[in-house]
Amino acid sequence: MSTAAMIPTGLPADPDSTPNSGVDPNTDKPRSDFKRTGRMTLYVRRFFRRPSAVVGLVMLVILLFFALVGSHLTKWAYDQPDFTALSDPPSADHWLGTTTGGSDMYALIIRGLGRSLSIGFISSIAITIIAAFIGTAIAYFEGAVEKVGMWLLDMLLVVPSFLLIALIISGSTGGNDWIWLIFGLTAFGWVGYARTLRTLTLSLREREYIKAAKYMGVPAFRIILRHLIPNLGSVLVINTVLGVVSAVNSETALSFLGLGIKAPDTSLGTLLNNGQSIILTAPWVLLFPSIVLILLTFSVQLIGDGLRDAIDPYSRSAGKAE
């Protein structure tokens, strides 16, 4: 029996001649009608293939919408008390009730949500940038620079950052305490992250293209900026998103203890601190800020999990070929 007779009917003998190969069997050149899926497109498809990530994204978009334009949906301002409605429950005039001082809870929550989101996003992005440069630089230069850098990181890890941040904020005045809070969270939040990135960079610095760039005399700063940091992009994106949760929780904890945002400004932590003492007489003062904080942290956590699965090539969200 000939070899051609052994080939099943309807199947091409050459696997490269299949329509999905992207190669023209007559010219051995890429097919003009073949479209290659970009990396970002692939990541987006994987992300939206995960229902929980989509739910988290929708929740965060809604919260961002209210933080940006929610103050225009009510006639009350966060610093405009209504002395005719002290500790009033939710009503048509005050949708989420009022505090003991007559402040509208809806206006306060919108203001606190915007302030907490600002602190969370700005500090998380700043921490990522600082940690990326320092962590990769320590691993890249090796030798004495790496030893001294690791020693400094180990020393900074034992610094009582929570106490120092509280001391920094306590000395702030003029309504700029949230700026000092961002500064404190950034100044002490990058250390552990930089140590992790340094470990991940150890394998990258041994790659052939890094050694070739060194041999060609490319400046160290350009190698770090153009080659090392971009190859850690997936880790940086995921940790930036999850860092928002950590920053918001830190701000909430400090404000809850009375060491963060101070009046007349407000945040979610400040609202929780004010509501704990009147939980029996006016439970809505504590209940609604707690719900918003839970929704915020939960949505960002879902988005972080979705990004991790979308970027990870071995994730279940990549789907199965049929």
Side-chain angles (χ1 to χ4, degrees), residues 2-24:
S2 63
T3 305
M6 298 176 61
I7 299 176
T9 303
L11 295 179
D14 184 3
D16 289 337
S17 63
T18 58
N20 295 328
S21 64
V23 178
D24 192 331

Side-chain angles (χ1 to χ4, degrees), residues 185-207:
L185 293 175
T186 304
F188 299 101
W190 63 269
V191 181
Y193 192 15
R195 206 175 192 280
T196 302
L197 293 178
R198 175 258 173 188
T199 303
L200 297 176
T201 310
L202 293 179
S203 61
L204 293 178
R205 73 183 185 187
E206 304 299 329
R207 301 289 179 88

Side-chain angles (χ1 to χ4, degrees), residues 264-278:
D265 204 352
T266 186
S267 68
L268 294 179
T270 304
L271 296 176
L272 294 176
N273 182 30
N274 296 335
Q276 63 172 337
S277 59
I278 55 175

Side-chain angles (χ1 to χ4, degrees), residues 9 73 88 109 216 227 234 303:
T9 303
L73 303 179
D88 274 12
I109 290 176
M216 295 172 62
H227 298 292
S234 59
I303 294 174

Side-chain angles (χ1 to χ4, degrees), residues 21 84 102 109 128 158 171 182-183 200 223-224 228-229 231 236 254 261 274 280 284 287 322:
S21 64
T84 62
I109 290 176
T128 300
V158 300
I182 293 176
F183 173 78
L200 297 176
I223 294 177
I224 294 173
L228 292 179
I229 293 180
N231 278 280
L236 297 177
L254 287 167
I261 304 299
N274 296 335
L280 297 179
W284 54 88
L287 178 61
E322 296 181 356

Side-chain angles (χ1 to χ4, degrees), residues 89-101:
S91 61
D93 196 23
H94 298 281
W95 300 337
L96 302 182
T98 61
T99 63
T100 54

Side-chain angles (χ1 to χ4, degrees), residues 74-83 85 94 98-99 101-105 107-108 264:
T74 179
K75 63 180 181 180
W76 302 103
Y78 77 97
D79 55 354
Q80 179 186 0
D82 181 7
F83 295 110
H94 298 281
T98 61
T99 63
S103 298
D104 185 74
M105 279 301 303
L108 287 173

